[in-house]
Amino acid sequence: VQLQASGGGAVQAGDSLRLSCQSSGRSFNLYAMGWFRQAPGKEREFVASMSRSGDRKLYADSVKGRFTISRDNNKNTVYLQMNSLKPEDTAVYYCAADRVIMTAPVSTDVTEYDFWGQGTLVTVSS
């Protein structure tokens, strides 16, 4: 599985961005998908994740109510809609795929994800 993230950019606080992550594989619906981010000098942290079918979602407390994860299995794409962006959201955002069975819990653990995209930079200025 190869993942290609896009949609990052430089915005002002309060603005919105939508990140996209497209998978090159034909088995996209076999993977739970997640978004993580890494700010300069910090460890990679969980942002949001979604089950294979999209019926279960998890969010980091820091983004809950502002970010929305979604997926389109027909387009092999997962999205992260980011609203009300804050300077502390500045980071490189990575999408990741976790090969799991349909009923598996959605993971927030960076070590459980099998495949990673290259990252897309989001910069939020005040």
Side-chain angles (χ1 to χ4, degrees), residues 5-52:
S6 62
V11 297
Q12 300 284 328
D15 286 349
S16 298
L17 278 176
R18 188 176 81 156
L19 305 183
S20 299
C21 174
Q22 186 165 32
S23 169
S24 62
R26 293 182 293 177
S27 55
F28 182 70
N29 62 347
L30 299 181
Y31 294 85
M33 299 299 296
W35 286 97
F36 295 79
R37 67 187 182 187
Q38 188 166 16
K42 295 188 177 181
E43 293 187 352
R44 194 168 298 189
E45 65 174 7
F46 168 76
V47 176
S49 58
M50 169 177 270
S51 61
R52 286 172 49 177

Side-chain angles (χ1 to χ4, degrees), residues 49-99:
S49 58
M50 169 177 270
S51 61
R52 286 172 49 177
S53 62
D55 62 333
R56 286 166 285 135
K57 304 177 185 180
L58 292 175
Y59 295 95
D61 287 343
S62 59
V63 306
K64 203 170 292 184
R66 300 188 297 122
F67 290 12
T68 302
I69 187 172
S70 61
R71 66 189 294 163
D72 185 337
N73 285 346
N74 292 322
K75 296 182 178 180
N76 290 353
T77 302
V78 62
Y79 304 97
L80 185 68
Q81 177 66 43
M82 306 186 296
N83 297 330
S84 303
L85 282 161
K86 304 176 181 180
E88 51 263 44
D89 294 319
T90 295
V92 176
Y93 284 71
Y94 298 90
C95 58
D98 182 14
R99 180 69 168 91

